[in-house]
Amino acid sequence: MDFVRKRVRNVKEGLEDKNQTWGCVFQRQQISFAPYETWTNADLEVTPPERRTWTAVSILGYWVSDILSAQSWQIGASVLAIGLTWREAIWCVLVGSIVMAFAIAFNGAPGAYLGVPFAVWIRSAFGFQLAKFPVVCRMTTALFWHAIQTYTGSTALTVMISAVWPSYLGIPNHLPESAGITSQELLSHFIFWTIQLPFLTIHPHKLKWFFVFKAFVTITAALGTTIAVCVIAGSSGDMWNQQPTVMGWDRAWLIIATLTSQTGSWSTVGTNISDFTRYIRKPRNTFYQAVFFPFICVFVSGLGVVSASATNALYGEYIWDPLVLASKWTSPRARLAAFYCGLAWMVAQIGVNVSANVISASNDLASLFPKYVNIRRAAILCTVVGGWVMVPWKIITSAAGLLDFMSSLGIFLSPIIAISIADYWVVKQRCVDVSALYVPHGRYHYTAGCNWRAAVAMLVGIGPTMPSLVKSVNPSIDIGGASYIADLVWYYGFVSAFLAYTILSKVWPAKGSLLTRAEAGVLKGVEAGVAEIKEVPNELEE
């Protein structure tokens, strides 16, 4: 009986521990602006000055970290495959990235000037409760792309290891074909996931030097690869003389579709850029993104085009994947270069996961379940789900339709970006009550926690584009003339949602949510004097 009593007592003590800070439930924290009855945590708080450490160089490093990846390198492959040339590829990358750069810069302003994450800021436009919709949309795409980028990172690790130990590629396979992965690939995936995990648990404001490091190794690897291939091949190839295989309206619509694809591919990070701009020391530095972003996009895509052209002269085929290219370097001297390229692209994939996926999903998850989840817990949960539960190798090898479907989820993100920009710059005119963003029944409660103007604007932005989402799931479905809107899905969604939200907010203004500049100035002074977070004894609600 003593043994039983001891076990019962241990279980009881364990359950009580779950109520403590180190258990499942966080100790209740009184955030500067959130009422006590609203459960939240410090990761959603307005960023304090000591954590606002990012400079213009940090922003440059961040975007190099995010853009310089294997996927960005290959951007021209799809353009040439559909009958266009490198000219159209560079033009689409340039124009598409310039458009997205301004969207990112202006959508990042709330984070830079107000110091709040995306999940908190978006309550101003959508309302305290409806704001969960854009948060869930962004989190879903982040989890999906985290899975893809993690598996891609494992292929870079394979190149790196095999450059040192070529026999690594000969590890016997003990898995059935239905598994969609070999024993060696699974081992690489596990090793990469383990290496990546610690970086995902580091708080964002401490990562600026990682982004700078990634910028150095990836740029040197990319430039080195391009120069080496061109020198060995004796030239940059004959791609510069290539002519398009499609003409007329077909060519015009292919260019438009490619432009839309290039712009929309950055909607994920463009949606929640405030999660990062909140750490900028000088808010106006957020606008440097409008310069950095298109320059880096064109630079990386240009390297991919030149390298692919040279590989055609060298190997008789266009090799767009830098990892496939590095895997062909098998001589003793070339293996050192293959090792460095594998290392660089592995670091690149970690950087993309940190900057574009896990931190974003972690902020979103923390905002949905603040009682149980902070950024660190959310990062661990997200990487377990994305890296293993979602079985990324199955997605890549046997679910092309699912890839198209998830890519099409961008139709939801474009209107969200438009509504966010319209709300901050046109409707609210930068006069925002930061404290009210943390109050469920405060200034941004609207009607039952929902701003119907944002809901209508979302419907206007996504309604006509839904056929393209259906077609991405089932390509055999004929959507007729809706295919033209599908080719303009990002631009239509952005412009229509921006105009709809602005017009509705001007004609039927939510007067309770609007501030004059004088009122905003008074509130800013009050908010600046708010005390730091205070620990409040934990009292679990029944």
Side-chain angles (χ1 to χ4, degrees):
M1 290 297 294
D2 290 339
F3 173 77
V4 174
R5 292 192 189 96
K6 185 177 180 180
R7 293 292 296 171
V8 170
R9 184 170 61 254
N10 290 340
V11 171
K12 182 178 179 180
E13 291 175 354
L15 290 175
E16 290 175 350
D17 285 344
K18 296 299 183 183
N19 296 338
Q20 305 304 318
T21 304
W22 55 84
C24 292
V25 178
F26 284 111
Q27 184 174 354
R28 187 190 294 273
Q29 293 178 319
Q30 182 61 49
I31 300 302
S32 300
F33 304 121
Y36 179 68
E37 63 273 11
T38 301
W39 204 297
T40 186
N41 64 59
D43 287 330
L44 302 177
E45 168 67 304
V46 176
T47 309
E50 62 270 17
R51 290 189 174 183
R52 305 193 73 165
T53 60
W54 284 29
T55 63
V57 175
S58 305
I59 298 172
L60 175 62
Y62 167 82
W63 279 115
V64 171
S65 173
D66 202 4
I67 297 172
L68 195 46
S69 65
Q71 287 75 18
S72 298
W73 179 278
Q74 302 172 63
I75 189 66
S78 60
V79 178
L80 297 183
I82 59 178
L84 300 178
T85 69
W86 67 271
R87 301 174 186 84
E88 287 85 359
I90 297 299
W91 184 87
C92 288
V93 170
L94 177 61
V95 176
S97 59
I98 288 175
V99 172
M100 197 65 205
F102 280 95
I104 287 172
F106 281 90
N107 197 34
Y113 284 93
L114 306 179
V116 295
F118 161 73
V120 173
W121 151 248
I122 203 65
R123 295 168 183 169
S124 171
F126 282 79
F128 199 92
Q129 300 302 329
L130 186 59
K132 295 176 182 178
F133 172 75
V135 167
V136 170
C137 286
R138 176 62 185 95
M139 185 177 66
T140 301
T141 55
L143 281 174
F144 175 82
W145 290 116
H146 172 60
I148 300 301
Q149 299 285 6
T150 298
Y151 185 74
T152 303
S154 70
T155 62
L157 180 70
T158 298
V159 171
M160 187 175 69
I161 296 177
S162 61
V164 180
W165 297 289
S167 59
Y168 180 74
L169 297 175
I171 293 178
N173 180 36
H174 301 287
L175 297 176
E177 186 177 352
S178 60
I181 191 171
T182 65
S183 298
Q184 177 266 310
E185 292 169 341
L186 186 61
L187 177 59
S188 292
H189 185 75
F190 173 75
I191 296 174
F192 176 80
W193 184 85
T194 304
I195 294 173
Q196 176 180 251
L197 180 60
F199 292 95
L200 304 181
T201 60
I202 300 174
H203 207 278
H205 76 281
K206 299 178 180 179
L207 288 170
K208 64 174 184 177
W209 295 116
F210 171 77
F211 293 139
V212 173
F213 168 73
K214 185 208 164 181
F216 173 78
V217 296
T218 49
I219 287 177
T220 54
L223 281 174
T225 297
T226 304
I227 294 172
V229 172
C230 289
V231 169
I232 295 173
S235 69
S236 58
D238 60 355
M239 187 178 295
W240 315 111
N241 300 320
Q242 183 185 18
Q243 298 299 319
T245 59
V246 290
M247 295 294 178
W249 283 107
D250 289 340
R251 182 187 181 195
W253 278 106
L254 283 176
I255 293 174
I256 291 173
T258 303
L259 178 63
T260 299
S261 177
Q262 165 62 22
T263 309
S265 64
W266 296 103
S267 291
T268 47
V269 68
T271 302
N272 67 298
I273 188 62
S274 288
D275 287 342
F276 298 95
T277 55
R278 62 187 291 210
Y279 298 108
I280 294 177
R281 184 183 302 161
K282 297 180 180 178
R284 66 176 179 273
N285 284 350
T286 186
F287 298 105
Y288 281 121
Q289 297 177 104
V291 178
F292 294 155
F293 184 82
F295 174 79
I296 300 170
C297 283
V298 173
F299 173 73
V300 176
S301 298
L303 291 180
V305 169
V306 173
S307 296
S309 178
T311 58
N312 185 48
L314 189 61
Y315 299 107
E317 60 177 328
Y318 291 117
I319 300 177
W320 292 94
D321 189 335
L323 296 173
V324 173
L325 177 59
S327 67
K328 291 184 175 293
W329 302 339
T330 56
S331 68
R333 294 178 60 183
R335 278 162 51 190
L336 179 61
F339 176 87
Y340 186 77
C341 286
L343 173 65
W345 293 115
M346 185 184 74
V347 173
Q349 297 309 116
I350 293 176
V352 171
N353 265 334
V354 169
S355 61
N357 298 322
V358 172
I359 290 179
S360 305
S362 298
N363 276 292
D364 296 340
L365 197 59
S367 73
L368 295 173
F369 305 101
K371 185 175 180 178
Y372 304 98
V373 179
N374 62 3
I375 288 182
R376 178 167 293 182
R377 285 186 182 180
I380 295 174
L381 182 61
C382 289
T383 193
V384 170
V385 173
W388 298 102
V389 177
M390 297 180 70
V391 196
W393 50 88
K394 282 281 190 179
I395 296 175
I396 290 178
T397 58
S398 61
L402 181 58
L403 276 172
D404 291 338
F405 169 73
M406 292 304 296
S407 298
S408 296
L409 283 181
I411 70 173
F412 295 99
L413 301 183
S414 174
I416 291 171
I417 296 173
I419 292 171
S420 175
I421 293 175
D423 186 70
Y424 183 71
W425 290 98
V426 181
V427 178
K428 302 293 194 308
Q429 296 184 8
R430 299 178 60 191
C431 298
V432 180
D433 183 355
V434 175
S435 61
L437 295 172
Y438 294 87
V439 182
H441 298 282
R443 186 185 300 274
Y444 303 116
H445 178 68
Y446 296 102
T447 303
C450 303
N451 184 0
W452 63 267
R453 301 160 192 82
V456 172
M458 281 295 298
L459 291 175
V460 171
I462 67 177
T465 63
M466 287 305 292
S468 66
L469 183 62
V470 174
K471 186 174 179 60
S472 69
V473 177
N474 187 353
S476 64
I477 296 178
D478 182 14
I479 60 175
S483 61
Y484 293 105
I485 297 180
D487 290 337
L488 288 166
V489 60
W490 194 92
Y491 290 93
Y492 170 80
F494 184 92
V495 174
S496 61
F498 185 95
L499 293 176
Y501 183 77
T502 301
I503 293 172
L504 290 173
S505 297
K506 293 295 185 180
V507 176
W508 293 283
K511 296 181 180 179
S513 68
L514 303 178
L515 295 173
T516 64
R517 294 200 176 276
E519 292 172 329
V522 172
L523 284 173
K524 185 176 182 180
V526 173
E527 291 161 359
V530 173
E532 296 181 354
I533 298 173
K534 294 179 288 186
E535 298 287 345
V536 176
N538 185 37
E539 298 177 5
L540 286 182
E541 299 177 351
E542 295 295 326

